[in-house]
Amino acid sequence: MKLTILGCYAATPRTFTNPTSQILEIKNRLFLIDCGEGTQVQLRKNKIRFSKINHIFISHLHGDHFFGLIGLVCTFTLLNRNTDLHIYGPKGIKEIIKLQLRLANSWTNYGLHFHELESNESQIVFEDDKAIVKTIPLKHRIYTNGFLFEEKMDKRKLNTDAVQNYEIDKCYFQNIKNGKDITLDDGRLIKNAQLTFDPTPPKSYAFCSDTAYNEAIIPIINGVDVLYHESTFLQSEETLAGKTMHSTAREAATIALKANVKQLVLGHYSTRYENISLFKEEAETIFSKVLLADDGRSFDF
Amino acid sequence: MKLTILGCYAATPRTFTNPTSQILEIKNRLFLIDCGEGTQVQLRKNKIRFSKINHIFISHLHGDHFFGLIGLVCTFTLLNRNTDLHIYGPKGIKEIIKLQLRLANSWTNYGLHFHELESNESQIVFEDDKAIVKTIPLKHRIYTNGFLFEEKMDKRKLNTDAVQNYEIDKCYFQNIKNGKDITLDDGRLIKNAQLTFDPTPPKSYAFCSDTAYNEAIIPIINGVDVLYHESTFLQSEETLAGKTMHSTAREAATIALKANVKQLVLGHYSTRYENISLFKEEAETIFSKVLLADDGRSFDF
């Protein structure tokens, strides 16, 4: 997986910072997560091909997480897109986009599919042969979901030396990769473990923005490779965090610790702080594996 | 008047160019004209104070002219604005903004007033003691207005030498500035022209974007100091201009010539052209006073 942060600051677009948007690449598929104003320009700056985005996940209908969506939908039309686009987001998102298209007397020249979310339980919203995406119900001022992206287990890897030694014909390779044992012409049974290596372990990524401290998400995100958790505030603004239903860096780290995640990435910083390294310092008092998101930064895992 | 171009390119925001938005300053009042995506950032880059914007004019509901509006409306709330904001634009604009505020479960903490336009005749949409704004009905794929901004005539300027010579008391100065003659204590009548200078002639600015070639606007914009007229295409793309209801540089210049304007400013360039100086060259074959808009460029007049 490769995570590219297009924007990770709270509230408003500014000269040098952008509201929330991320690109997650899973096995050559690009998933766009949230789409604040300016996302199109950030995609261009980060040299991400628009045509490779087929699925967009919107956490909630606060502007800093989706005001760039309508523009992107229209730009796809101008770029002569013809492949389907799927948008996953809270109920109401379809009405917002369609109203604007209708009043502009225009429609997309590609299939535009909305998958509106209303459930307060975690649910599967996307699945194909490579990945599965589930919602992570969050606790915010309006209906909000995080998203859990899980790679599916690859097939087993062929041990080419072993299959040559046993002179096994190519036509059996697919079965072997699928985990099957092989009976040779002389009747010997060769166990699959002798013919294959374990596949690369599948990775997982959990996106949690925006949310108050919420232990209910721990079972859903337990053990993920990377957790992006919002930390709008530092603990010194704990009261404000509570009032606005956001988290502090300390709270994000506490969730990471309790959910036994492998890596925490912080983001959604309030623009009141001049130095985001304070977030890392605070979180590291609780949990050691902390990285800071920043616009244009990428994480390979 | 001072015109600041925040963005003047057609279609989509790109890394180094922005969709349509302009700030017109008339006697310390700021009028925002159109509000493409990224306008907030362009306002910051051009060091324009958000709090001085009280009136926003939207030409039409194509995204490159208003997708930045909802974000700006929300940012005003975050900036604790408390003065009223007036938005002038096509019918439907209120529904778009209010739907998004409703779904975000938020409202502005300042008065938000919509002035929806439907008329196909030029009409006065704003007037105070300094300026008057009228619509310029344009010809485009959807209902579109340009806007004519006219300064009001200033009061006459006091000739301080003259009033001192006649020993006229200060209490009469306001009447003199208003154009009144004065009768001295000895009975002499002093004509106003002897006590005042002519005021600075009022300026006018016409904003015309987007539109097909449309001679119907000539009587409305006749003799303006500055005409901003879209030139999405060059004459070589005349057919495409006709089909999309846009103008070529040559057509913009023809309108400027026939309307006897003092200065033409071109803009709304299609991003297919790498060198915008071609627009100036083409327009100058018809009309000599041509300037090119570009993002961040200002014009004082």
Side-chain angles (χ1 to χ4, degrees), chain B residues 117-141:
Chain B
L117 308 175
E118 294 183 84
S119 173
N120 292 311
E121 304 292 323
S122 177
Q123 58 181 152
I124 294 170
V125 289
F126 170 85
E127 184 170 11
D128 70 1
D129 58 327
K130 303 285 186 195
I132 185 164
V133 186
K134 298 169 189 163
T135 57
I136 307 168
L138 300 176
K139 214 162 95 182
H140 194 42
R141 303 194 301 277

Side-chain angles (χ1 to χ4, degrees), chain B residues 1-4 23-26 149 151 200-206 224-227 263 265 291 298-301:
Chain B
M1 289 193 184
K2 181 183 181 183
L3 176 68
T4 302
I23 284 283
L24 183 69
E25 183 174 346
I26 302 180
F149 297 83
E151 279 182 349
T200 313
K203 301 284 182 175
S204 54
Y205 171 66
V224 293
D225 291 282
V226 176
L227 166 65
Q263 178 71 56
V265 175
L291 291 170
S298 285
F299 303 91
D300 282 289
F301 53 98

